Amino acid sequence: MFHRFFIFSSFLLLFSECAQIVPLTGGEKDTSPPDLISVIPSDLTKNFKAEIILFKFNERIQLKNPGDNIIMVPATDTKPKWKVNKKELEIILPPNLKPNTTYKLMFNKAIADLTESNAIDYLEYVFSTGEIIDSNFIKGTIYNAFTHAPENNALIGLYDATKSDSVIYQEKPLYFTKSKSDGSYKINYLPNQNFKIIAIADGNNNFTYDPFKEKLGFLNQAVSPTKDSVVDFFITEEKPIKSLIKKIIQPSAQELYIIYNKPNNYQLLNNQSIAMIQNKNPSDTCKIFHNANDSLYFIIKTATSQDTIKTPLLYKKKPLKQLQLSGLISNTYPYYAPINLYANFWMDTSYIKTSIKLFLKSDSINALALKNIQITPYEIKIHTPLRQNEEYILEVLLKSINSTDSIKKQKIKFKTNSAESYARLSINILFPEKKNYIIALCDQQHKIIYSQTIDIPFSASNKQSIEFKNILPNNYVLKIISDENKNNIWESHNYLNKTAFEKIFVYPKTIKINNNWDINIDWNDVK
């Protein structure tokens, strides 16, 4: 009947006086996974005797990596088998299931539609070979340890508590689920036994932990669903114990960056013709400045490693000597800051220091007095008062060390802004303990923009005042970071060593900063 109606309608359209020719389209793309219509025997069946479970869906299906993504717990000597017939999936159970046992079949992105491969994210089927279905559960919320935001789609796995800690690297969990967008999770139908509980940001979906590539959350003690039914914990990248070099890059002819797997302080040995750019805080990147032509050979040392670096140099031609004014935004420079210049060449420090001149644009003849100039082979720092809303011209005669090249002059023009471009934030904090902290103002992506450290002595009050001056307008997240080892960086946890991450407290409201504002905040409930 439908086909006859379609033909008749098409005939009318073809000869209609007002008919229009319209290009054919394929319609909207199907993005929905299959829907489960029914299952035989039904879910939560007791005294289960069937050998086959039949799942019926609303469309034709396919299986994706079923050997890894169809999981049965407790584990059996042989794995279940499967067969797909159009819209139906048969699961053939292994023989000799244990009596009086609750079993769970879990499908992790294993079932997808045939046309677009839209997979069902997670599906489970539960039955018992006895008269009781285990009713224990563990639920909770997974949070990001640094941001305190809920962690979505994390794998929460339960392992036999008697297994060694290495089980998370080698075996799939006995029971698992994925966290929702609000970080919540719940694992149902658990037996009365102790478990290791782990959360993994399982990016490659292999159900095991890939160290230092995936975020991890763990507890240092076993949990039991009869007494630990609510378990919240935090997830973050692990802190490597030993320093290892990840890669070496050469951004320019006289620079070499050695990138490690963790932040370090560095020491160079046998470093002729080599200088190291010192960082205020430990960094995962050691920046080397050199004056070599063909290759570099030196030894670099950290607290946990010593590496010999021998590398050919990629750039044979030296770059055009140039200085860059750091912190310049739209040709405007902070009026309160020292003048920071970075070089792309190895500077002749004794020569350049005497060749620096600073002028007001309104007076390009009389140079300003510069009393405090600090210079290294790669950096010039000039501590001199700058006027607000003024235009300047900086002149430097550029000369490389041991170079006979002609000396060139570089002019850098910039203007300063004013105090009205910034804001001031005062925070009165009642700290939970007397110890060392980092007070951090972060952007909305939780990158630290401004920070201060405070070490509260035992003789002082827990109530302390912190002030941030010259803050650029933005929306900020305020954090207190417990700096246990006083190294001015946040330290993550380590699973095998059972070391905890440094605790972070996040102010519950976003702080809006506008220019020329003075803001005062009281934070008395740090938790």
Side-chain angles (χ1 to χ4, degrees):
M1 179 66 185
F2 172 82
H3 295 292
R4 290 200 301 272
F5 175 80
F6 178 81
I7 294 171
F8 179 71
S9 301
S10 301
F11 180 83
L12 289 178
L13 284 172
L14 181 65
F15 291 95
S16 172
E17 188 174 313
C18 55
Q20 298 180 13
I21 299 175
V22 181
L24 296 175
T25 65
E28 292 186 7
K29 184 178 179 180
D30 180 15
T31 58
S32 300
D35 290 329
L36 179 63
I37 302 300
S38 65
V39 57
I40 304 173
S42 60
D43 190 25
L44 302 178
T45 295
K46 301 174 185 176
N47 296 312
F48 191 92
K49 304 296 183 184
E51 296 178 355
I52 295 175
I53 305 170
L54 178 63
F55 297 84
K56 294 184 179 180
F57 297 89
N58 67 329
E59 59 181 312
R60 298 181 69 174
I61 63 166
Q62 61 174 313
L63 294 182
K64 303 179 73 174
N65 197 16
D68 291 328
N69 293 335
I70 299 178
I71 301 169
M72 185 171 180
V73 293
T76 53
D77 293 335
T78 58
K79 289 186 175 183
K81 298 179 181 179
W82 48 83
K83 185 169 68 174
V84 172
N85 182 18
K86 298 181 179 178
K87 299 180 182 181
E88 297 180 348
L89 167 64
E90 287 187 1
I91 298 294
I92 301 96
L93 296 173
N96 303 320
L97 297 180
K98 295 178 182 179
N100 301 314
T101 301
T102 299
Y103 284 92
K104 184 188 291 189
L105 270 169
M106 294 175 285
F107 303 89
N108 181 55
K109 299 184 183 297
I111 304 167
D113 63 42
L114 189 61
T115 54
E116 299 292 346
S117 295
N118 300 309
I120 300 175
D121 189 52
Y122 180 77
L123 179 68
E124 68 177 32
Y125 174 87
V126 178
F127 65 91
S128 173
T129 56
E131 296 184 354
I132 297 175
I133 289 180
D134 292 330
S135 59
N136 298 311
F137 65 88
I138 293 178
K139 68 177 182 178
T141 306
I142 310 299
Y143 299 97
N144 184 291
F146 189 73
T147 67
H148 284 204
E151 191 73 23
N152 180 37
N153 203 36
L155 172 73
I156 297 90
L158 301 179
Y159 304 79
D160 186 341
T162 63
K163 293 288 188 75
S164 69
D165 288 338
S166 61
V167 66
I168 70 170
Y169 307 101
Q170 302 162 352
E171 299 180 17
K172 295 178 181 179
L174 295 174
Y175 300 90
F176 71 89
T177 190
K178 296 288 187 74
S179 62
K180 299 178 181 179
S181 58
D182 62 356
S184 65
Y185 73 92
K186 187 176 184 180
I187 306 178
N188 289 309
Y189 312 113
L190 295 176
N192 182 15
Q193 73 177 75
N194 292 334
F195 296 101
K196 295 180 188 293
I197 184 167
I198 299 293
I200 303 169
D202 188 27
N204 57 9
N205 202 39
N206 67 352
F207 286 84
T208 55
Y209 173 53
D210 299 309
F212 311 117
K213 296 179 181 179
E214 298 172 332
K215 288 182 285 189
L216 174 72
F218 60 90
L219 298 183
N220 284 333
Q221 70 277 355
V223 297
S224 170
T226 57
K227 60 181 180 180
D228 303 305
S229 56
V230 179
V231 180
D232 300 333
F233 53 98
F234 293 86
I235 185 171
T236 187
E237 294 83 3
E238 268 198 282
K239 171 190 174 183
I241 299 303
K242 187 173 181 180
S243 297
L244 299 172
I245 294 176
K246 293 172 64 176
K247 60 182 176 180
I248 299 175
I249 60 176
Q250 297 182 38
S252 71
Q254 292 186 306
E255 290 178 287
L256 188 81
Y257 291 178
I258 307 170
I259 301 174
Y260 280 79
N261 63 336
K262 58 176 289 190
N264 289 286
N265 289 311
Y266 306 98
Q267 179 184 358
L268 290 180
L269 308 178
N270 67 317
N271 58 337
Q272 295 90 349
S273 299
I274 298 175
M276 183 175 67
I277 299 178
Q278 299 287 348
N279 294 301
K280 180 181 178 182
N281 295 323
S283 170
D284 62 0
T285 302
C286 178
K287 297 181 180 180
I288 302 296
F289 214 88
H290 63 85
N291 194 36
N293 292 317
D294 298 315
S295 63
L296 278 178
Y297 172 80
F298 59 93
I299 298 172
I300 186 168
K301 187 176 181 181
T302 71
T304 60
S305 67
Q306 181 169 301
D307 298 289
T308 299
I309 307 297
K310 187 174 183 180
T311 180
L313 298 177
L314 302 178
Y315 296 90
K316 301 303 180 184
K317 185 178 179 181
K318 301 300 181 185
L320 179 68
K321 292 186 285 292
Q322 210 166 25
L323 295 171
Q324 182 178 358
L325 181 57
S326 176
L328 196 64
I329 302 176
S330 300
N331 203 40
T332 302
Y333 196 74
Y335 75 93
Y336 61 87
I339 300 173
N340 284 337
L341 296 162
Y342 289 93
N344 69 338
F345 65 99
W346 185 291
M347 291 187 289
D348 185 331
T349 56
S350 60
Y351 178 87
I352 287 183
K353 188 171 184 178
T354 60
S355 71
I356 301 172
K357 293 181 180 180
L358 181 66
F359 300 91
L360 290 171
K361 185 181 178 181
S362 57
D363 183 2
S364 58
I365 298 176
N366 301 304
L368 300 173
L370 302 176
K371 296 181 179 179
N372 188 351
I373 300 176
Q374 297 172 319
I375 186 167
T376 70
Y378 50 84
E379 180 185 19
I380 301 171
K381 184 170 287 189
I382 306 170
H383 297 268
T384 191
L386 298 175
R387 300 179 190 175
Q388 299 183 39
N389 296 317
E390 190 64 82
E391 295 185 76
Y392 288 91
I393 300 173
L394 184 68
E395 291 185 358
V396 185
L397 293 175
L398 306 180
K399 184 179 186 301
S400 300
I401 190 170
N402 301 326
S403 173
T404 57
D405 295 342
S406 59
I407 298 172
K408 295 185 178 181
K409 180 190 293 185
Q410 182 178 353
K411 286 187 178 183
I412 300 173
K413 298 179 181 180
F414 65 94
K415 59 182 179 181
T416 56
N417 54 18
S418 64
E420 286 74 23
S421 304
Y422 302 95
R424 182 186 64 86
L425 173 63
S426 297
I427 315 163
N428 299 311
I429 304 174
L430 182 60
F431 289 92
E433 298 179 71
K434 293 182 174 71
K435 61 164 75 171
N436 200 71
Y437 295 98
I438 302 169
I439 318 301
L441 281 178
C442 309
D443 62 17
Q444 297 298 291
Q445 288 71 47
H446 292 265
K447 178 184 177 182
I448 296 177
I449 307 300
Y450 305 98
S451 67
Q452 294 184 32
T453 59
I454 181 170
D455 191 359
I456 306 175
F458 286 108
S459 59
S461 168
N462 283 38
K463 188 79 175 246
Q464 297 286 319
S465 295
I466 309 294
E467 185 176 73
F468 288 93
K469 298 179 180 179
N470 300 314
I471 305 172
L472 287 171
N474 207 339
N475 292 324
Y476 291 98
V477 177
L478 173 62
K479 293 183 181 182
I480 299 173
I481 303 171
S482 297
D483 191 15
E484 304 291 344
N485 57 5
K486 301 183 180 182
N487 66 348
N488 296 328
I489 60 171
W490 179 68
E491 295 279 15
S492 182
H493 54 203
N494 185 271
Y495 172 66
L496 293 179
N497 281 21
K498 303 301 180 188
T499 55
F501 56 81
E502 292 177 324
K503 195 169 184 179
I504 291 179
F505 308 91
V506 180
Y507 189 67
K509 298 179 181 179
T510 298
I511 301 174
K512 183 178 181 179
I513 301 287
N514 285 339
N515 60 302
N516 206 27
W517 276 17
D518 281 350
I519 301 175
N520 295 284
I521 290 176
D522 290 318
W523 191 1
N524 295 318
D525 56 345
V526 176
K527 58 183 179 180

